[in-house]
Structure formats: structure tokens, C-alpha cells
């Protein structure tokens, strides 16, 4: 048994123990859960919401929701997958409400002619590419490439079939590999 697997298994067992203690009302156990997941959860929220303040707010709201709903957690999926599922749903709701707000604002904007035309750069940056992805594509990319979840875990988080997640991820990899970044080079995707 390799050391990485043993470390993951012992960490997973430790998290499960903290969850059980939290269910019994141990607030220090929940504080330990937060310490374990705070940084990766912030990174996830930041990649999805694309705003530091919104990611910080989301982090607080997600952990409040987790604390309120921890009694619903069952170990038929890893705790981290359950946590990311809550973060995924929260982030989707945030993005939906932001879109509704922008649509509302757009309805009441004054129609003003544009005073200048902007030249469109012929090369697409990686950032532009990531911004062009759908919410679902960004979630899959962040969960797989950054947080290293396997397709079964991502499927649990996003309520999809593992084969569907795998197919969507493969399409993402192909898209990413064909995009060019500034300075004329191609993106050599190191996602697996």
C-alpha cells in the first residue's frame, strides 16, 4: 500500500471522526473541519465566482450551511465530495442570482451609442478561454484539474453519470489544447 493512499485514508478517517463529533455538538471538531477545508474551498469558490470578496462570502455561507446540515451527511460519499456538492450548489445559485440582477439592470439602462470601438485582439488568452467556459465546464475543470477528484466523485457532486462527466472533461481538454495564449504559444494543457 503506497504512503499517499495511507495518508489519504487516515486523513479521511480523521475527517469522518470529526464529522461524527460535530454531529454530537462538538464545535471544536467543526473548527478542525473548517481548518482542513478552508483553503481548497476558497480556491474552488474563487475559480467559480471570479471575485475575492464573493469567494470569501461564499466560504462563510457554505460552512454555515454545512454546519446546519451536517446531520444529513452519510458516509456513502466522502465528506469532501459532500462539501464540494454544497459549494457547487451554492455557487450555481450565486451565479444565477447575479445573472438575474444584470438582466434587471440591463432592462433599465439608457440606450447610449458607443463612443469608441475597441480592437479585438487576435489571440485568445487562457483567462479569456476560462471565462468563455460554461459554469458546468468550469466546475468540472476545477474539480478535476485543480482539486484532483476522480470522475465518480465529480459525478456525485454534480449529480451526473460518471461517463457524462468523463466525456465533458475530454471535450474540455481538447478545447484547451487547441487554444492559443498571448505571446503566440499554444497552451500545453497539463490536465489529466
Amino acid at each position: 500500500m503506497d504512503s499517499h493512499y495511507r495518508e489519504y485514508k487516515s486523513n479521511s478517517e480523521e475527517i469522518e471522526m470529526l464529522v461524527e463529533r460535530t454531529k454530537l455538538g462538538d464545535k471544536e471538531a467543526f473548527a478542525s473541519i473548517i481548518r482542513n477545508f478552508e483553503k481548497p474551498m476558497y480556491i474552488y469558490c474563487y475559480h467559480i465566482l471570479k471575485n475575492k470578496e464573493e469567494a470569501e462570502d461564499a466560504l462563510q455561507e457554505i460552512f454555515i450551511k454545512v454546519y446546519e446540515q451536517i446531520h444529513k451527511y452519510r458516509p456513502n460519499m466522502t465528506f469532501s465530495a459532500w462539501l464540494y456538492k454544497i459549494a457547487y450548489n451554492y455557487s450555481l445559485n450565486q451565479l444565477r442570482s447575479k445573472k438575474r440582477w444584470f438582466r434587471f439592470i440591463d432592462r433599465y439602462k439608457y440606450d447610449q451609442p458607443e463612443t469608441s470601438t475597441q480592437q479585438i485582439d487576435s489571440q485568445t488568452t487562457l483567462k479569456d478561454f476560462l471565462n468563455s467556459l460554461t459554469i458546468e465546464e468550469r466546475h468540472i475543470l476545477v474539480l478535476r484539474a485543480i482539486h484532483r477528484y476522480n470522475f465518480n466523485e465529480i459525478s456525485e457532486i454534480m449529480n451526473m453519470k460518471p461517463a457524462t462527466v468523463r466525456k465533458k472533461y475530454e471535450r474540455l481538454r481538447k478545447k484547451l489544447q487547441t487554444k492559443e495564449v498571448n505571446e503566440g504559444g499554444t497552451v500545453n494543457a497539463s490536465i489529466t
Side-chain angles (χ1 to χ4, degrees), residues 24-37:
L24 297 172
D26 185 342
K27 291 182 180 173
E28 189 55 42
F30 190 67
S32 293
I33 290 172
I34 291 172
R35 282 190 295 276
N36 272 292
F37 291 101

Side-chain angles (χ1 to χ4, degrees), residues 126 173 176-181 185-191:
L126 179 59
R173 284 185 65 204
L176 186 58
Q177 290 170 344
T178 60
K179 290 295 176 178
E180 292 185 345
V181 295
T186 58
V187 175
N188 293 321
S190 61
I191 57 178

Side-chain angles (χ1 to χ4, degrees), residues 104-119:
F104 175 77
I105 298 277
D106 283 344
R107 269 190 243 147
Y108 295 99
K109 253 193 215 176
Y110 295 110
D111 289 333
Q112 297 177 2
E114 288 189 32
T115 56
S116 67
T117 58
Q118 298 177 348
Q119 290 185 338

Side-chain angles (χ1 to χ4, degrees), residues 76-135:
N76 58 342
M77 77 166 54
T78 65
F79 180 77
S80 65
W82 184 76
L83 179 63
Y84 276 96
K85 185 172 188 165
I86 290 172
Y88 170 74
N89 289 324
Y90 180 85
S91 297
L92 276 181
N93 288 337
Q94 288 302 107
L95 291 169
R96 284 182 191 131
S97 66
K98 191 188 292 187
K99 282 182 183 177
R100 282 193 298 269
W101 174 249
F102 285 133
R103 277 195 301 254
F104 175 77
I105 298 277
D106 283 344
R107 269 190 243 147
Y108 295 99
K109 253 193 215 176
Y110 295 110
D111 289 333
Q112 297 177 2
E114 288 189 32
T115 56
S116 67
T117 58
Q118 298 177 348
Q119 290 185 338
I120 299 172
D121 190 6
S122 64
Q123 297 177 327
T124 304
T125 64
L126 179 59
K127 184 176 180 180
D128 291 336
F129 169 72
L130 293 173
N131 287 337
S132 73
L133 297 177
T134 66
I135 296 165

